[in-house]
Amino acid sequence: MAVDNIRDRYQAAGHDHLFTFWSTLEESERKSLSRQLENLDVDRVNRIYKKAIASEKEAATDPEPIEPLPVEACESIVNDSPSEKTWRSQGLQAIARGEVGVLLMAGGQGTRLGSSAPKGCYDIGLPSHKSLFQYQAERIARLQVVAEKECNKAAGSVVVPWYVMTSGPTRRETEAFFTKNNFFGLSSKNVVFFEQGTLPCLTAEGKIMLENTSRIAVAPDGNGGLYAATRTPLSESSNSTVLSDLTDRGILYVHAYCVDNCLVKVADPVFLGYCISKQADCAAKVVPKASSSEAVGVVARRGEKFSVVEYSEISKEQAELRNAKTGELAFNAANIANHFYTTSYLKSVKSFEDDLAFHIARKKIPTVDLKTGKAIKPSEPNGMKLELFVFDVFPFTKRFAVLEVARNEEFSPLKNAPGSGADNPETSRRDLLAQHKRFLERAGAQVKGGVEIELSPRVSYAGEGLEFVKGKTFTKSGYVENPEELDALL
């Protein structure tokens, strides 16, 4: 597109200030800026800003009533639901038929962990020193084998494709990490990388900000950006998208989750079977809150619709309210960013995307003085970043379902630096090794006090396949890649 046409488009949208320094730019800088401007839907940016401001104002002046999740809207497997085996079988059958895909949200860096690498590359200190990416890849590999065996499919015939959402800062390093590690034993053709989008940073008046004289200031559009990202071409040389790939492979159901949970059951057949049996379009997996004061969002009702309500929106009285029948906290369904979608639902998001209100985060954004061209490093918030959250689609879902699972089996987030006390590498390591101990004990083995045994996901996905340890006592710590290696730890 000619520069004059781009300038006309931005002038009509109220953003011609982005050309303030055009006459002073080198040719290479002009090309870079014009490319950035051409690829941006400036009218969409204006719509997003207006909707975000209006929504923020409405929430402050006329908030919808917040109510607990109705008891009938959620089922639980915390105390061994009699339906769990049935759901597991249904989920495995869908996996065996090639109807299930996995979507991983992995755009973040390990900045809080003291690492600039993609978070999925992080080693939480296990005996094996496997990264989060490797653990999740090996769970997929094991699940494919379990589905083949239990559904009488030929070895190597079951495939669960893995869609890995990266970001601008992490895509290249993520792809290189997978390539260096031979995709952790998965076929590279079944691992699809795509990129989370960005949005311009805006002033309080909604004007797009410049990072410097030749570049717009941008920020990731939140994990809810995955919906638009599934419609975006996978590369500049391809028209293929995540949605078209799902369709081409015949994928009907998608499990989505965040990379930083070392206990995540990737493509969990129980969750899949539950959602399929409920004919859900979209669903959330939750865990019981650790306490009434835990700083976590909960799945609840906002007005007449399902939503995630942030802890800051719930009063102390509401947080401490208990269900008269169960004695549990009324607002108890802690959100863990673990979701189910049908492919058809993911395709439908585009039809109501303009109704989704982005969230405003007011930040200190490095920019440039439009009068002098000098760099500005603000000491106070001077602009806003706009984010969509993955759960923002919940209110638009016609058939929504919630499954409660045990926290110690499925949720141990990695958020904070080593030694910080909670949600850190040490707690992740502790929780994963404790789970492996339970796997062995449930299979009939004894594990001596102080003994730590790490089981490769390729040995067991969720405790299955360990019947041979019954009656054995493990006295030595170690890491096990194959079942036969367990005898060395007796």
Side-chain angles (χ1 to χ4, degrees), residues 101-105 163 226-227 253-258 264 267 271-272 283 285 336-341 346 390:
V102 173
L103 197 159
L104 167 61
M105 292 172 274
Y163 299 88
L226 80 87
Y227 302 110
Y253 313 109
V254 176
H255 176 226
Y257 68 96
C258 284
V264 65
F271 186 40
L272 289 164
K285 189 182 275 194
I336 59 173
N338 194 314
H339 306 307
F340 164 94
Y341 309 96
L346 287 176
V390 69

Side-chain angles (χ1 to χ4, degrees), residues 181-192:
N181 290 282
N182 296 314
F183 289 78
F184 312 106
L186 298 176
S187 170
S188 60
K189 68 181 180 182
N190 296 321
V191 180
V192 179

